[in-house]
Coordinates of all heavy atoms in Angstrom, one line a residue:
D1 N 143.8 157.3 5.4 CA 145.0 156.7 5.8 C 145.1 156.2 7.2 O 144.1 156.2 7.9 CB 146.3 157.6 5.6 CG 146.0 159.0 6.3 OD1 145.2 159.0 7.2 OD2 146.7 160.0 5.9
L2 N 146.3 155.7 7.6 CA 146.3 155.1 8.8 C 146.2 156.2 10.0 O 145.5 156.0 11.0 CB 147.6 154.4 9.1 CG 148.0 153.7 10.4 CD1 147.0 152.6 10.7 CD2 149.4 153.2 10.5
T3 N 146.7 157.4 9.9 CA 146.5 158.4 10.8 C 144.9 158.8 10.9 O 144.5 159.0 12.1 CB 147.1 159.7 10.4 OG1 148.6 159.5 10.2 CG2 146.8 160.9 11.2
G4 N 144.1 158.9 9.9 CA 142.8 159.0 10.0 C 141.9 157.8 10.8 O 141.2 158.1 11.6
L5 N 142.3 156.6 10.6 CA 141.7 155.5 11.3 C 142.2 155.6 12.7 O 141.3 155.3 13.6 CB 142.4 154.1 10.6 CG 142.0 152.9 11.4 CD1 140.6 152.6 11.5 CD2 142.6 151.6 10.8
L6 N 143.4 155.9 13.1 CA 144.0 155.9 14.4 C 143.3 157.0 15.3 O 142.9 156.9 16.4 CB 145.5 156.1 14.6 CG 146.3 154.9 14.0 CD1 147.7 155.3 14.1 CD2 146.1 153.7 14.7
S7 N 143.0 158.2 14.4 CA 142.3 159.3 15.1 C 141.0 159.1 15.4 O 140.5 159.4 16.6 CB 142.6 160.5 14.2 OG 143.8 160.9 14.0
E8 N 140.1 158.3 14.5 CA 138.8 158.0 14.8 C 138.8 157.0 15.9 O 137.8 157.0 16.8 CB 138.1 157.4 13.5 CG 138.1 158.5 12.4 CD 137.1 159.7 13.0 OE1 136.1 159.5 13.7 OE2 137.4 160.7 12.5
L9 N 139.7 156.0 16.0 CA 139.8 155.0 17.1 C 140.0 155.7 18.3 O 139.4 155.4 19.4 CB 140.8 154.0 16.7 CG 140.9 152.8 17.6 CD1 139.6 152.0 17.6 CD2 142.0 151.8 17.2
A10 N 141.0 156.6 18.4 CA 141.3 157.3 19.7 C 140.2 158.1 20.1 O 139.9 158.3 21.3 CB 142.5 158.3 19.5
A11 N 139.3 158.6 19.3 CA 138.1 159.4 19.6 C 137.1 158.5 20.4 O 136.5 158.9 21.4 CB 137.4 160.0 18.3
I12 N 137.0 157.3 20.0 CA 136.2 156.2 20.6 C 136.7 156.1 22.1 O 136.0 156.0 23.1 CB 136.2 154.9 19.9 CG1 135.4 155.2 18.6 CG2 135.6 153.9 20.7 CD1 135.5 153.9 17.7
G13 N 138.1 155.9 22.2 CA 138.7 155.7 23.4 C 138.5 156.8 24.4 O 138.2 156.8 25.6
F14 N 138.6 158.1 23.9 CA 138.3 159.2 24.8 C 136.9 159.3 25.3 O 136.6 159.7 26.5 CB 138.7 160.6 24.0 CG 140.1 160.9 24.2 CD1 140.9 160.9 23.1 CD2 140.7 161.3 25.3 CE1 142.3 161.4 23.1 CE2 142.0 161.6 25.4 CZ 142.8 161.6 24.5
R15 N 136.0 158.9 24.3 CA 134.6 158.8 24.8 C 134.4 157.9 25.9 O 133.6 158.1 26.9 CB 133.7 158.6 23.6 CG 133.5 159.8 22.6 CD 132.3 159.7 21.7 NE 132.6 158.7 20.7 CZ 133.2 158.9 19.5 NH1 133.6 160.2 19.4 NH2 133.4 158.0 18.6
Q16 N 135.0 156.7 25.5 CA 134.7 155.5 26.7 C 135.4 156.0 28.0 O 134.8 155.8 29.1 CB 135.5 154.3 26.1 CG 134.8 153.8 24.9 CD 135.6 152.6 24.4 OE1 136.7 152.4 24.7 NE2 135.0 151.6 23.5
F17 N 136.6 156.5 28.0 CA 137.3 157.1 29.1 C 136.5 158.1 29.8 O 136.4 157.9 31.1 CB 138.6 157.6 28.5 CG 139.6 158.1 29.4 CD1 140.1 157.1 30.4 CD2 140.1 159.4 29.4 CE1 141.1 157.5 31.4 CE2 141.0 159.8 30.4 CZ 141.5 158.9 31.3
G18 N 136.1 159.0 29.2 CA 135.2 160.0 29.8 C 133.9 159.6 30.5 O 133.6 160.0 31.5
M19 N 133.2 158.8 29.7 CA 132.0 157.9 30.4 C 132.4 157.2 31.7 O 131.6 157.3 32.6 CB 131.3 157.2 29.5 CG 130.7 158.0 28.3 SD 129.6 156.9 27.1 CE 130.8 155.9 26.3
A20 N 133.5 156.5 31.5 CA 133.9 155.7 32.8 C 134.2 156.6 34.0 O 133.8 156.4 35.1 CB 135.2 154.9 32.5
M21 N 134.9 157.7 33.8 CA 135.3 158.7 34.9 C 134.0 159.4 35.4 O 133.6 159.7 36.6 CB 136.3 159.7 34.5 CG 137.6 159.1 34.5 SD 138.9 160.3 34.3 CE 138.6 161.1 32.8
A22 N 132.9 159.8 34.3 CA 131.8 160.5 34.7 C 130.9 159.5 35.6 O 130.3 160.0 36.6 CB 131.1 161.0 33.5
A23 N 130.9 158.2 35.3 CA 130.0 157.3 36.1 C 130.5 157.2 37.5 O 129.8 157.1 38.4 CB 130.0 155.9 35.4
A24 N 131.9 157.1 37.6 CA 132.6 156.9 38.9 C 132.3 158.3 39.7 O 132.0 158.1 40.9 CB 134.1 156.8 38.7
N25 N 132.5 159.4 39.1 CA 132.3 160.7 39.8 C 130.7 160.8 40.2 O 130.5 161.1 41.4 CB 132.4 161.8 38.7 CG 132.3 163.1 39.5 OD1 131.3 163.6 39.7 ND2 133.6 163.7 39.8
A26 N 129.8 160.3 39.4 CA 128.4 160.3 39.8 C 128.1 159.4 41.0 O 127.1 159.5 41.8 CB 127.5 160.0 38.6
S27 N 128.8 158.2 41.2 CA 128.6 157.3 42.1 C 129.1 157.7 43.5 O 128.8 157.0 44.5 CB 129.2 156.0 41.8 OG 130.7 156.1 41.8
A28 N 129.8 158.7 43.6 CA 130.4 159.3 45.0 C 129.6 160.4 45.5 O 128.9 161.0 44.7 CB 132.0 159.5 44.7
A29 N 129.8 160.5 46.8 CA 129.0 161.6 47.5 C 129.7 162.9 47.7 O 129.4 164.0 47.2 CB 128.4 161.1 48.7
T30 N 130.8 162.8 48.4 CA 131.5 164.1 48.6 C 132.5 164.5 47.6 O 133.0 163.6 46.9 CB 132.2 163.9 50.0 OG1 133.4 163.0 49.9 CG2 131.4 163.5 51.2
P31 N 133.1 165.8 47.5 CA 134.0 166.1 46.5 C 135.3 165.2 46.6 O 135.9 164.8 45.6 CB 134.3 167.5 46.8 CG 133.0 168.1 47.5 CD 132.6 166.9 48.2
G32 N 135.8 164.8 47.9 CA 136.9 164.2 48.0 C 136.7 162.7 47.5 O 137.6 162.1 46.8
E33 N 135.5 162.1 47.7 CA 135.2 160.8 47.3 C 135.1 160.7 45.8 O 135.4 159.8 45.1 CB 133.9 160.2 48.0 CG 134.0 160.0 49.3 CD 132.7 159.8 50.0 OE1 131.6 160.0 49.4 OE2 132.7 159.3 51.1
K34 N 134.5 161.9 45.2 CA 134.4 162.0 43.7 C 135.8 162.0 43.1 O 136.0 161.3 42.1 CB 133.7 163.2 43.3 CG 132.2 163.2 43.6 CD 131.4 164.4 43.3 CE 129.9 164.4 43.5 NZ 129.3 163.5 42.7
G35 N 136.6 162.8 43.6 CA 138.1 162.8 43.0 C 138.8 161.5 43.1 O 139.5 161.0 42.2
M36 N 138.5 160.8 44.3 CA 139.2 159.4 44.5 C 138.6 158.5 43.5 O 139.3 157.6 42.8 CB 138.9 159.0 45.8 CG 139.7 157.7 46.3 SD 141.4 158.2 46.8 CE 141.1 159.0 48.5
A37 N 137.2 158.5 43.3 CA 136.6 157.4 42.3 C 136.9 157.8 40.9 O 137.2 156.8 40.2 CB 135.0 157.6 42.6
S38 N 137.1 159.0 40.5 CA 137.5 159.3 39.3 C 138.8 158.9 38.9 O 139.2 158.4 37.8 CB 137.4 160.8 39.0 OG 136.0 161.3 39.0
A39 N 139.7 159.1 39.9 CA 141.1 158.7 39.7 C 141.2 157.1 39.5 O 142.1 156.6 38.7 CB 142.0 159.1 40.9

């Protein structure tokens, strides 16, 4: 049903979202810079 489709689509979004923040975090050096980059 539509809920099933939306849920699978949101799962893709969360994966993309997590990868974007992880990449930003990895690109920074200090803890403060990592937090800023992730935000």
Side-chain angles (χ1 to χ4, degrees):
D1 55 15
L2 183 58
T3 296
L5 173 62
L6 295 179
S7 300
E8 293 299 321
L9 186 59
I12 292 175
F14 274 114
R15 286 194 290 270
Q16 295 173 343
F17 186 57
M19 288 189 293
M21 287 196 294
N25 186 281
S27 68
T30 67
E33 291 172 348
K34 287 179 179 294
M36 193 81 71
S38 295

